[in-house]
Amino acid sequence: MKAPAGNGRVAVVAECAADAALLVAAEAAAGPEIAVICLRDDGEEGRAALDRALADASARGCEVSGRPRILDEPGITGIVKELRALQPLRIRVPDPDPTHTGWDTDRNCPVHDEPPGRAAAALLALDAARVLQRESATPVLVDCRRTEAATPQLPATSCPRYPAVTGWLTEGFDGRATAFLPSAAGVLRWTQPRPHGADWDGPELLPGPRLMPGLRVVRDLSGFAHLFALRRTARTDGGENVEIVHAAQYRSGHPLSPWHSLGSPNPGDAYKSRETGFPAAGFDAAGGVVVFARNFGHSVSYREQRPESAWTPWRHLSGLRVADELVTVTTPKGDVQLFARLRDTPGVVRWHRPGYDAAWTEDRAVPFAPRPGSLAAGPEPGTVVFRDLRTNEPCVWQSGAHAPVPLGAAEGEAPVTGVPGVRVDGWDYSLLVRSGAGGSCEIGAFAEGRPDAGVWWNGLAGEAAHGVPAVLRDRTGRVTVATLTEGAKLAVSHRESHAEGFTFGSWYSA
């Protein structure tokens, strides 16, 4: 699959101009060229709202590509026609599976506080994006945004439907690195043809029928990469289910295992399964894996598999209602913990257990409130990193600590991730990576176990990042930072020394 030569154009696809205005407002960063496609004309009021949103985007530094386009052909055909003309790198659409606000007992169906045409338009746009990517053989990235109320302190458009992909750069069992990222038509993969080399093959489109545009990449104890995603399947009654699926890469550059369905926390119900939350997964010290997801009732469900055993059925954890933002961490003792952002109030709840056979305990005393979409596993075992809801400053928290530790550098929006064990002059450091202002890639470092001693942040000049940059410390101690550029190319930079300083070499396109 080739990378486009475009300039990072964003196509906003919505049912009407009023919906498009909400999605345009979500493009906070300066730089991208925005084009708008509406499935229908909703009149003067909707057009005026969109004009205001586009004017605000232009004032932020975005370029507006002509007047909004109204489809002259209905359905997927019309959307594909407009997308062919625009050739966007990114497509922004509403949430295809919005969460319910109540239940209609008379009709026996959920109640939503947004029009049904909004989700229907998103599904049409997703199908059209798949068509465009397959026929053009160029990556198309999709961003689904919630448009219902989310957190009182933030606009609704600040909440993505699918989490930003973190940890997408991983080392295989044979020492070769692989990068995985989601796209409209499936998972994109880049692979090193030889260990620790400078060359990369890709992007390659991996098979995965009707995968939704999100991805979770988890490495097991043996170094194998495991992928978790959501897949849409047709029902015999004409509806659709959304199910959690899992595949694994056992040899770098070779085909994935088949996508295996883990089902849904709410199986058998077309309404409830469509609201299945995005999965989070973690491996414990014994090699067992636990998969969590937010269920229809806004609590947490999980399945797990012990080594050489079958998957358990879905089980439910009662407790506080959570948002669709779950993160797992593995503690220094090798136990898996779950962190979930709360749905109804700012804050986080933690689930933990002392060993596989023990009961899960809900901890409601976690002392921080993250900005939606910013929660991620920290660089050291048992830690999480997040952006503070009030200040946007990245912070790290260790289970049992009285308060989180601020890390400085409040610019940017995406999660912050990192790796431990980076050796400098005989001392071990944790290395952080984040997307800064304007999409720049920045690295930070602190003495391992001592984030309170201060973090040094430095920008890596030369490439603007799309999404969350990734960092990998391989078994030789080599540190690699990777990002996806606006041209949908993988850009890679290596630390110049294995033992001295935090200087990185020039970016090169893989």
Side-chain angles (χ1 to χ4, degrees):
M1 176 170 287
K2 61 183 179 180
N7 58 358
R9 177 178 292 152
V10 178
V12 171
V13 184
E15 186 202 16
C16 59
D19 287 354
L22 296 173
L23 298 172
V24 169
E27 190 63 57
E33 179 184 355
I34 301 175
V36 176
I37 301 171
C38 296
L39 276 61
R40 65 175 179 87
D41 187 351
D42 56 343
E44 183 176 348
E45 185 175 346
R47 291 194 297 270
L50 179 56
D51 286 343
R52 290 192 297 270
L54 290 171
D56 289 343
S58 180
R60 295 193 299 269
C62 300
E63 181 181 348
V64 177
S65 179
R67 296 292 303 165
R69 298 162 179 249
I70 308 297
L71 294 190
D72 55 9
E73 295 183 55
I76 295 175
T77 302
I79 301 174
V80 172
K81 177 182 176 181
E82 297 296 343
L83 292 177
R84 285 194 191 111
L86 293 170
Q87 289 296 309
L89 168 63
R90 288 190 285 147
I91 298 176
R92 174 164 288 160
V93 302
D95 184 355
D97 298 301
T99 55
H100 68 288
T101 57
W103 187 267
D104 188 329
T105 55
D106 293 332
R107 299 172 56 202
N108 195 33
C109 67
V111 176
H112 297 88
D113 63 356
E114 58 181 74
R118 188 174 288 171
L123 290 172
L124 287 173
L126 285 170
D127 286 339
R130 293 184 185 103
V131 171
L132 178 70
Q133 182 169 343
R134 290 193 178 106
E135 73 177 19
S136 64
T138 60
V140 178
L141 312 177
V142 180
D143 177 20
C144 300
R145 290 277 168 163
R146 297 192 184 278
T147 49
E148 74 270 17
T151 301
Q153 292 88 340
L154 295 170
T157 50
S158 66
C159 295
R161 172 59 173 93
Y162 307 108
V165 188
T166 59
W168 50 269
L169 184 65
T170 182
E171 182 184 21
F173 183 80
D174 60 359
R176 292 192 288 161
T178 304
F180 299 97
L181 283 170
S183 70
V187 176
L188 300 174
R189 181 176 70 179
W190 291 260
T191 308
Q192 283 183 321
R194 63 182 185 277
H196 321 303
D199 298 328
W200 290 75
D201 294 332
E204 172 191 7
L205 181 62
L206 303 177
R210 298 205 77 189
L211 294 178
M212 304 308 286
L215 188 65
R216 188 83 67 181
V217 183
V218 184
R219 191 170 182 263
D220 68 18
L221 300 182
S222 299
F224 301 130
H226 294 256
L227 311 183
F228 296 87
L230 292 178
R231 180 174 67 188
R232 198 170 219 90
T233 58
R235 292 172 56 90
T236 56
D237 60 7
E240 290 186 319
N241 287 327
V242 174
E243 60 184 1
I244 296 170
V245 291
H246 162 245
Q249 175 177 277
Y250 295 111
R251 297 183 64 188
S252 301
H254 287 251
L256 296 179
S257 70
W259 288 96
H260 167 68
S261 174
L262 297 179
S264 161
N266 302 102
D269 188 303
Y271 294 120
K272 294 182 178 180
S273 77
R274 281 190 59 176
E275 292 190 31
T276 298
F278 203 84
F283 285 87
D284 61 25
V289 59
V290 191
V291 178
F292 302 90
R294 193 254 313 132
N295 57 42
F296 183 79
H298 300 290
S299 59
V300 175
S301 297
Y302 73 99
R303 291 188 75 176
E304 56 189 329
Q305 183 184 44
R306 309 310 299 168
E308 309 301 327
S309 300
W311 286 92
T312 66
W314 282 102
R315 298 165 178 166
H316 303 292
L317 298 174
S318 60
L320 294 174
R321 288 166 29 119
V322 302
D324 192 8
E325 186 170 354
L326 311 182
V327 168
T328 62
V329 302
T330 303
T331 69
K333 293 182 178 180
D335 298 322
V336 174
Q337 295 188 355
L338 174 73
F339 291 80
R341 184 172 62 83
L342 296 177
R343 171 180 168 83
D344 301 321
T345 185
V348 164
V349 63
R350 178 175 69 105
W351 289 93
H352 60 96
R353 65 183 182 185
Y356 168 72
D357 295 326
W360 289 98
T361 298
E362 182 190 36
D363 174 14
R364 302 185 179 186
V366 179
F368 64 84
R371 187 180 182 92
S374 70
L375 195 62
E380 298 169 14
T383 63
V384 287
V385 180
F386 62 94
R387 291 183 179 272
D388 183 81
L389 180 61
R390 294 172 294 105
T391 67
N392 197 48
E393 183 178 9
C395 301
V396 63
W397 186 72
Q398 172 80 47
S399 297
H402 294 294
V405 178
L407 300 174
E411 303 86 2
E413 293 185 336
V416 177
T417 62
V419 293
V422 177
R423 199 79 170 167
V424 179
D425 298 329
W427 297 89
D428 285 335
Y429 288 80
S430 287
L431 189 72
L432 302 172
V433 63
R434 73 184 188 100
S435 179
S440 62
C441 184
E442 298 189 356
I443 61 167
F446 60 84
E448 198 166 295
R450 290 297 312 275
D452 56 321
V455 179
W456 300 271
W457 288 100
N458 291 293
L460 301 183
E463 291 291 349
H466 170 72
V468 182
V471 59
L472 170 68
R473 180 182 61 82
D474 66 23
R475 66 192 65 179
T476 70
R478 187 190 201 195
V479 179
T480 301
V481 174
T483 185
L484 194 67
T485 70
E486 286 291 1
K489 293 181 178 180
L490 184 71
V492 177
S493 176
H494 297 295
R495 183 184 175 209
E496 292 186 345
S497 169
H498 280 30
E500 299 177 1
F502 297 103
T503 303
F504 282 74
S506 300
W507 293 96
Y508 66 90
S509 294

